[in-house]
Amino acid sequence: MSANLKGKHIILGITGGIAAYKSVMLLRLLIKAGAEVQVVITPNGKEFITPVTLSALSGKPVVSEFFSANTGEWHSHVDLGLWADAMVVAPATASSIAKMANGVADNMLITTYLSAKAPVFIAPAMDLDMMAHPSTTRNLELLRSYGNHIIEAASGELASHLTGKGRMEEPEKIVEVLDRFFAKGSSLRGKRVMITAGPTIERIDPVRYIGNFSTGKMGYALAEEAASRGAEVILVSGPVAIEARTPGIKVVKVESALEMLAACKEAFKDSDIAIMAAAVADYRPANPHDHKIKREHEGIDNIELIKNPDIAAALGAEKRDGQKLVGFALETDHALENGGEKLSRKNLDMIVVNSLADKGAGFGTDTNKVTLLFREGRAPESFPLKSKTAVASDILEAILSL
Ligand code: CTP
């Protein structure tokens, strides 16, 4: 168990809640798993658990203040933030969650959090009504949107003797979450992954274009997931309103299918894996105007269209041994049949089929429901409706198994 924590640098942030007593066990388990742990505790945290216990178990002085009162020695939250492979705040009280969400840097734990470059895991613990308050929900939502991992509180008897959601997750479970994270974190190390995302837009004139409803969410989720598994990611993106957050993602912005093709051909040369998640416009205007077409004099009732190149098929034709090429097929009917046909026509190794007939799947949603099709000899794999992040993880696992 927990073999992936060996040698990892972990900041254990402890805030002032009853559940702080459980952090002692968490610290012990982390040390047992071979991690190096630096405890950072808030002033309130020290009311619940003594630094003596924590420093004895971690083998390091506990950090709580910005500097030591005796010696004036300055504790650098910046250095700590850079040292860590992960930061875990457990327990995280409503107040600390609010401070983290809003950058209220009034103690060493919060400044360390704000300086941390490593992934952050937050295990809330509070009374049920505080947990259910819209303020807490909103702050946790904010933290999630920063890319932090929330280790959901469990339900059960609380310190108040009331029963409900608010118990800090058990230390064993928290260690499991971290272990899984580090196991996954290296699964694509040393690999170069190219991903296309979003729509392409094809200019009619300087004002108008032909486009589609793609928002890029699936492609960006794949890029985030691949980067968090250690891959070097090149994300060739059409115009979208979202941004890539995880370090390790190089975004190449393009507008049209022709631009996307050029960027992809370049990036594919030294990629190990290419995932084509973009909704490429099938056609473009044959003669885009360089001035705005006037409705009255010229009219735009007829736009001559010509076919765009098939980028996935172009890469499929160039694919070398060892390169893996994965496509998507968004279908409205005969999804599996059409997907299978695209798999062979484009010389793909796997295709992700989703159907607009499924509720929660397709453009703009945060969820997706996919079936993976492989080349001859491997049965299709169907997954239930999941968040696009979870779908991205399933897709990458499948690619690793090719
Ligand atoms: N694709 C591509 N270049 C295109 C069209 C599609 O790279 N010009 C890629 C998509 O990114 C996707 C796969 O090919 O991975 C299938 O896209 P889809 O639009 O479903 O297929 P088409 O070949 O365009 O077929 P149709 O529109 O007839 O369903």
Side-chain angles (χ1 to χ4, degrees):
M1 207 213 117
S2 48
N4 301 293
L5 280 159
K6 196 165 182 340
K8 291 287 186 291
H9 293 173
I10 311 279
I11 298 172
L12 174 57
I14 301 177
T15 73
I18 305 280
Y21 77 90
K22 286 191 188 172
S23 309
V24 178
M25 183 50 88
L26 175 59
L27 171 58
R28 251 202 77 205
L29 292 173
L30 289 170
I31 296 286
K32 233 174 115 186
E36 221 182 291
V37 185
Q38 173 64 60
V39 175
V40 180
I41 192 165
T42 61
N44 275 337
K46 287 192 285 189
E47 305 287 337
F48 291 86
I49 181 91
T50 147
V52 180
T53 310
L54 298 165
S55 65
L57 286 174
S58 65
K60 289 180 196 298
V62 169
V63 174
S64 181
E65 316 295 337
F66 292 110
F67 55 87
S68 301
N70 302 342
T71 61
E73 185 199 359
W74 171 251
H75 299 139
S76 169
H77 53 88
V78 179
D79 290 350
L80 252 183
L82 293 175
W83 169 84
D85 295 308
M87 178 170 184
V88 191
V89 184
T93 57
S95 148
S96 286
I97 286 169
K99 288 182 191 176
M100 287 191 280
N102 297 288
V104 182
D106 67 351
N107 67 48
M108 186 68 186
L109 191 148
I110 309 292
T111 52
T112 304
Y113 164 75
L114 291 174
S115 305
K117 289 261 190 289
V120 180
F121 295 80
I122 298 162
M126 63 196 78
D127 206 39
L128 73 169
D129 294 315
M130 295 173 83
M131 190 76 226
H133 196 279
S135 157
T136 308
T137 308
R138 192 184 136 81
N139 287 328
L140 285 173
E141 217 30 73
L142 278 172
L143 293 174
R144 245 186 229 107
S145 76
Y146 308 154
N148 298 163
H149 305 258
I150 309 299
I151 303 177
E152 291 290 342
S155 291
E157 196 188 333
L158 304 168
S160 59
H161 302 300
L162 295 171
T163 301
K165 185 174 171 180
R167 282 171 68 94
M168 185 178 103
E169 186 50 283
E170 293 307 323
E172 290 80 3
K173 289 270 175 57
I174 296 178
V175 172
E176 252 175 63
V177 170
L178 291 170
D179 185 65
R180 248 185 283 129
F181 177 80
F182 284 116
K184 225 176 72 170
S186 53
S187 62
L188 283 170
R189 185 152 301 149
K191 298 272 185 237
R192 231 168 106 106
V193 181
M194 188 207 101
I195 297 167
T196 67
T200 68
I201 64 172
E202 311 294 335
R203 284 180 187 243
I204 299 166
D205 68 14
V207 184
R208 307 173 177 97
Y209 65 83
I210 298 173
N212 60 63
F213 290 119
S214 170
T215 55
K217 282 183 181 170
M218 193 63 244
Y220 275 66
L222 279 161
E224 302 284 354
E225 188 63 22
S228 69
R229 287 164 176 258
E232 186 191 332
V233 179
I234 301 187
L235 179 58
V236 182
S237 172
V240 293
I242 52 178
E243 277 177 37
R245 293 188 302 246
T246 313
I249 303 177
K250 181 181 165 209
V251 184
V252 179
K253 295 209 161 159
V254 297
E255 197 178 276
S256 65
L258 289 179
E259 285 172 21
M260 187 172 273
L261 175 69
C264 286
K265 283 193 149 193
E266 187 54 38
F268 190 56
K269 281 186 208 152
D270 28 47
S271 290
D272 302 289
I273 297 164
I275 310 175
M276 317 302 286
V280 183
D282 291 313
Y283 291 89
R284 68 177 182 276
N287 305 299
H289 289 242
D290 53 13
H291 67 275
K292 184 180 177 193
I293 302 170
K294 299 308 286 177
R295 188 162 50 93
E296 286 295 327
H297 321 305
E298 297 168 282
I300 41 171
D301 26 288
N302 273 311
I303 302 169
E304 194 195 328
L305 296 176
I306 50 174
K307 237 187 181 152
N308 266 329
D310 187 321
I311 304 170
L315 301 190
E318 287 176 8
K319 190 171 67 172
R320 297 187 310 269
D321 273 358
Q323 282 185 309
K324 298 292 174 215
L325 181 60
V326 174
F328 270 76
L330 178 60
E331 306 290 343
T332 52
D333 28 39
H334 307 296
L336 294 187
E337 205 177 310
N338 289 332
E341 184 274 322
K342 284 174 191 173
L343 174 77
S344 48
R345 174 159 52 87
K346 303 186 189 211
N347 192 25
L348 308 174
D349 299 286
M350 181 177 109
I351 192 157
V352 183
V353 183
N354 46 7
S355 168
L356 280 181
D358 284 323
K359 205 166 165 278
F363 289 141
T365 57
D366 290 317
T367 52
N368 206 355
K369 184 170 182 298
V370 304
T371 298
L372 307 181
L373 302 184
F374 304 90
R375 299 179 80 102
E376 318 70 58
R378 182 164 170 184
E381 284 169 32
S382 292
F383 295 86
L385 187 73
K386 294 186 179 191
S387 72
K388 283 189 172 165
T389 304
V391 173
S393 177
D394 291 339
I395 291 172
L396 290 172
E397 284 297 330
I399 294 175
L400 282 164
S401 76
L402 286 173

